[in-house]
Amino acid sequence: VVMTNNNNGNNITPKDEIPVINLSNPNTEQLLQQILRACTTWGFFQLINHDIPLPLIQSYRDSKARFFSMPYETKLNLKRNAQNARGYFDDELTKRRRDWKEALDVGVPGSRKWDTADFDESNACLDGFNQFPTQEECPDFREVTVEYFEECAKLSNRLARLMACALGITEGSDDAQ
């Protein structure tokens, strides 16, 4: 069985593996070609050697585990609502059936400044304000989340530049708008 990607005519066979992009590849031209092929053939890829420190990734995972192990009543104090779509929830529906999950929606603050208080008016976004547990409820949760978000933002910006470059879009060109 051969599956054809109608967008560009590339054939993908079931034995093909998801592309793995090594961001530490010193051969920039090769890296750009790998990104281009992965994006145009698969639409996604696995990224390795991305420079987000493994201790930070582990701290992020640990802090999330601590959050979700907090008492239910404590998490409910952070529940999202009609005025604020950011926060804790465990009542999402898929196809009118309740999902078996808990989640905490957070995002970059409206001010783009993590050092501004979460409920400061400048941090209002279309989807509300971030809600974090207190330091006493879940030590270092906010700090680790912020550090992880910042590292992911740097990586996202780098990847966006590489993708644009792979597509032949240069800064200042009409296509870069």
Side-chain angles (χ1 to χ4, degrees):
V1 174
V2 174
M3 299 170 275
T4 302
N5 177 335
N6 293 329
N7 293 333
N8 58 20
N10 290 331
N11 291 327
I12 302 169
T13 63
K15 66 179 170 108
D16 286 339
E17 294 187 20
I18 294 170
V20 176
I21 306 293
N22 183 349
L23 207 50
S24 68
N25 183 346
N27 185 331
T28 304
E29 197 54 45
Q30 183 183 50
L31 177 62
L32 294 175
Q33 286 304 311
Q34 290 170 340
I35 290 172
L36 180 64
R37 183 175 185 280
C39 289
T40 58
T41 304
W42 286 86
F44 58 90
F45 51 86
Q46 178 185 354
L47 190 62
I48 61 172
N49 296 320
H50 45 64
D51 291 337
I52 296 179
L54 288 177
L56 175 58
I57 293 170
Q58 190 59 53
S59 290
Y60 181 75
R61 289 178 177 164
D62 292 346
S63 72
K64 300 312 157 225
R66 283 193 310 277
F67 174 83
F68 288 108
S69 68
M70 291 188 333
Y72 184 66
E73 296 74 26
T74 304
K75 292 181 282 190
L76 281 181
N77 291 331
L78 305 172
K79 188 158 178 60
R80 65 184 186 179
N81 56 52
Q83 292 76 42
N84 190 0
R86 292 186 181 188
Y88 172 78
F89 62 96
D90 66 345
D91 55 359
E92 191 166 81
L93 303 177
T94 300
K95 296 183 181 180
R96 295 181 295 202
R97 300 185 99 183
R98 188 170 177 171
D99 288 341
W100 287 84
K101 70 178 180 190
E102 293 180 289
L104 179 68
D105 270 341
V106 297
V108 175
S111 68
R112 300 287 192 241
K113 297 175 185 171
W114 287 102
D115 58 348
T116 301
D118 292 315
F119 284 98
D120 186 279
E121 188 176 302
S122 67
N123 278 336
C125 292
L126 184 59
D127 60 346
F129 297 89
N130 286 327
Q131 299 185 75
F132 289 101
T134 66
Q135 180 70 10
E136 294 77 30
E137 292 168 333
C138 195
D140 301 323
F141 182 87
R142 187 183 189 283
E143 291 74 17
V144 170
T145 300
V146 168
E147 185 179 355
Y148 184 75
F149 263 70
E150 288 174 340
E151 287 297 318
C152 287
K154 285 189 242 174
L155 177 59
S156 296
N157 290 336
R158 181 176 178 202
L159 265 178
R161 286 190 303 274
L162 287 168
M163 288 175 174
C165 192
L167 291 169
I169 299 171
T170 57
E171 224 173 298
S173 73
D174 289 339
D175 292 333
Q177 306 301 321

